Amino acid sequence: MGAQGETRAAQFRERYEALESNYFNEDEPPPFHYGTHYSCAAYVLYYLMRLEPFSRLALTLQGGRFDVADRLFHNIGASWRSASKENLQDVRELIPEFFYLPDFLVNKNMFDFGTTQLGKTVHDVTLPRWAKGDPKRFVRIHRQ
């Protein structure tokens, strides 16, 4: 997921080469391309926070509150841009639910996820225009 384009791939190669050129001691961590893993429990909770029991697990992970609204999964396009272009620390991959479970995109439990710094209330996930606001359509087309 990290190297979706040549520019981004070059950035990861440059990082690796810079770390490699400064690697002198075997007691130090070796050079790496990605500073984080592409999949972990926290990423799964990030995507599934609208569904039980994942919402309760997300609350537990964050000390009883959902994370700051701006850091929550609330927009497919913004998450894609972050993981594919904008943020070298974001290399998370999609979870299987993107291909079969539209319910994870809808806040049926009416959780209060707060408001972003731009004043947007975080509720259902904002879908790409081609999904026409329909999570089922999103999953069906996304599977193609």
Side-chain angles (χ1 to χ4, degrees):
M1 182 63 209
Q4 289 294 308
E6 186 51 43
T7 301
R8 191 163 159 103
Q11 291 172 316
F12 284 113
R13 280 193 299 273
E14 288 170 15
R15 172 195 287 173
Y16 182 90
E17 290 165 1
L19 291 170
E20 187 177 46
S21 69
N22 291 315
Y23 183 65
F24 302 111
N25 184 348
E26 288 185 13
D27 293 333
E28 296 175 8
F32 56 85
H33 287 96
Y34 306 121
T36 186
H37 203 273
Y38 57 84
S39 182
C40 67
Y43 294 165
V44 174
L45 295 178
Y46 167 81
Y47 288 127
L48 296 181
M49 68 182 189
R50 290 168 177 79
L51 293 177
E52 289 291 3
F54 306 102
S55 49
R56 295 291 157 216
L57 294 168
L59 287 168
T60 300
L61 180 68
Q62 293 295 332
R65 301 175 155 223
F66 289 108
D67 199 357
V68 176
D70 288 286
R71 291 194 298 241
L72 297 176
F73 174 53
H74 65 276
N75 184 306
I76 298 274
S79 290
W80 167 253
R81 286 187 301 278
S82 175
S84 65
K85 297 177 187 174
E86 297 171 352
N87 184 350
L88 288 178
Q89 303 309 313
D90 185 356
V91 294
R92 72 187 132 207
E93 293 188 345
L94 299 181
I95 57 173
E97 287 77 3
F98 272 87
F99 302 93
Y100 77 90
L101 187 66
D103 294 351
F104 87 100
L105 301 165
V106 181
N107 186 11
K108 289 181 182 176
N109 293 308
M110 303 302 291
F111 290 113
D112 180 1
F113 295 122
T115 305
T116 67
Q117 292 179 31
L118 296 176
K120 180 188 183 290
T121 300
V122 175
H123 187 59
D124 294 342
V125 175
T126 302
L127 303 172
R129 281 193 289 267
W130 51 261
K132 299 183 179 179
D134 182 353
K136 290 179 183 174
R137 179 182 170 93
F138 170 81
V139 168
R140 181 175 44 80
I141 294 172
H142 189 242
R143 275 195 303 233
Q144 299 174 359

